[in-house]
Amino acid sequence: FAKQNGRNQYAFYFEDLKKDSKRLLLLEAELRKSIQTKEFNINYQPKISIVNREIIGVEALVRWENNKLGNVSPSEFIPFAEDTGLIIPLSEVILEKVCLDIMEWRSKGIQHLSVSVNIASLHFQQDDFIERINAILMQYNCSPSQFELELTERTVMKDAQGIVNKLIKLKNMGFKISIDDFGTGYSSLSYINRFPLNYLKIDSSFVQQITSLKDKQAIVDSIIMMAHRLHLKVVAEGVETKDQVKLLKEMDCDIIQGYYYSRPIPSSELLDFIELWEILKQERNVL
Ligand code: C2E
Ligand code: MG
Ligand code: MG
Ligand code: MG
């Protein structure tokens, strides 16, 4: 491509490469610093039961605002942290922050709100994953039964037997297990069925097209049906419109997560949301 457009394109291309590698160097240096100073925040996004409209839990989503880089999206820095191995200390900082928030909620009367945390592949693969996560929870007096671990299809697709054993241990300790972004990893439900799972989260790329594309609707419909046969509860991710909620309800989906109900919000706002929701959920016309 660059060649076709002559010499100048090479120059631009080279400039771009330099810019990219500069950013990566800065990203790595700043990420290291921020892990040291624990300069991350956690936002929480409510998950709503479509059946009784209760808040069945929240998903913890990390936020990074850096003085040199500004707001960096987790879709950029999480994969980068995985490539550099920084995901291990970063994940521990995130877990600590979540535990601190749980302690804070407890002091304000919110006792059993279930929290899901995203677990990166490389983190999950560590031999001492279970011991380390347990140590952090114990340090903050948090119980595994309040936690749900979100693993992507990609994570459970390697080394099936090792993963089954790990998941059985975690489940016996009280953790709940979800498969995140289901539908994007080309695995099948029959493969997934060997794992002791609680929830299947259908990826937003499917959910957001159910009202416009008949084949996406058919896929989501059959995922929900098969998941129920396997005794899994189904969470729809990225739900933004009332029409999507209606359709998902018709398809017997269990849980809704998305901007339609709430964006991910800081811990301090979450308590207000919970209070407000107690009133809102009584309204008949609220879906
Ligand atoms: P994910 O786990 O699938 O999280 C869902 C993403 O969808 C979040 O993006 C969330 O803000 C976004 N989202 C929720 N509802 C809607 C909606 O209605 N519309 C749209 N367009 N988006 C919605 P976010 O926070 O940018 O995170 C992106 C990904 O980064 C996550 O995908 C997850 O894979 C990873 N990630 C985020 N936080 C953490 C973390 O603490 N640890 C690890 N290991 N990964 C994380
Ligand atoms: Mg997730
Ligand atoms: Mg997801
Ligand atoms: Mg996703």
Side-chain angles (χ1 to χ4, degrees), residues 56-100:
I56 61 121
V58 293
E59 177 173 3
L61 294 156
V62 65
R63 295 293 177 258
W64 184 29
E65 197 188 329
N66 176 265
N67 55 1
K68 293 205 183 102
L69 292 157
N71 277 315
V72 189
S73 159
S75 318
E76 182 180 6
F77 72 80
I78 294 286
F80 182 77
E82 282 204 73
D83 290 344
T84 51
L86 288 171
I87 192 70
I88 312 296
L90 172 59
S91 300
E92 304 211 330
V93 171
I94 293 170
L95 263 173
E96 276 178 26
K97 297 248 169 186
V98 170
C99 288
L100 283 169

Side-chain angles (χ1 to χ4, degrees), residues 21 46 62-63 69 96 135 144 176 180 187 228-229 278:
S21 58
V62 65
R63 295 293 177 258
L69 292 157
E96 276 178 26
K176 298 203 178 54
D180 202 356
S187 65
H228 283 165
R229 290 255 175 102
E278 286 307 307

Side-chain angles (χ1 to χ4, degrees), residues 6-59:
R7 262 196 83 203
N8 271 340
Q9 286 296 335
Y10 274 124
F12 284 131
Y13 182 69
F14 188 58
E15 282 307 309
D16 276 357
L17 268 185
K18 269 205 307 203
K19 240 196 274 167
D20 284 356
S21 58
K22 256 192 187 160
R23 179 167 171 88
L24 289 183
L25 282 176
L26 186 62
L27 199 60
E28 177 161 2
E30 289 304 308
L31 199 53
R32 269 181 209 286
K33 264 195 254 169
S34 294
I35 290 169
Q36 292 302 316
T37 56
K38 307 191 178 180
E39 185 187 80
F40 297 90
N41 283 307
I42 314 295
N43 279 0
Y44 297 90
Q45 186 176 37
K47 291 188 275 184
I48 309 285
S49 159
I50 216 168
V51 186
N52 59 15
R53 300 194 224 175
E54 296 293 335
I55 300 172
I56 61 121
V58 293
E59 177 173 3

Side-chain angles (χ1 to χ4, degrees), residues 135-169:
I136 296 173
L137 265 55
M138 275 173 60
Q139 190 186 340
Y140 293 94
N141 227 333
C142 289
S143 156
S145 60
Q146 199 170 354
F147 283 80
E148 194 184 305
L149 306 178
E150 295 195 2
L151 306 166
T152 62
E153 281 184 273
R154 214 165 35 89
T155 302
V156 297
M157 269 165 84
K158 347 178 165 153
D159 173 33
Q161 197 47 48
I163 288 168
V164 173
N165 295 338
K166 230 172 191 170
L167 289 179
I168 290 173
K169 262 194 209 158

Side-chain angles (χ1 to χ4, degrees), residues 85-138:
L86 288 171
I87 192 70
I88 312 296
L90 172 59
S91 300
E92 304 211 330
V93 171
I94 293 170
L95 263 173
E96 276 178 26
K97 297 248 169 186
V98 170
C99 288
L100 283 169
D101 285 336
I102 288 177
M103 287 174 74
E104 167 88 15
W105 301 335
R106 228 186 267 156
S107 76
K108 296 188 169 152
I110 308 281
Q111 300 284 351
H112 303 293
L113 187 63
S114 159
V115 183
S116 30
V117 291
N118 292 284
I119 304 295
S121 284
L122 185 69
H123 184 208
F124 185 73
Q125 281 165 24
Q126 301 301 300
D127 287 333
D128 59 355
F129 173 77
I130 295 181
E131 289 78 8
R132 297 289 290 269
I133 198 171
N134 204 29
I136 296 173
L137 265 55
M138 275 173 60

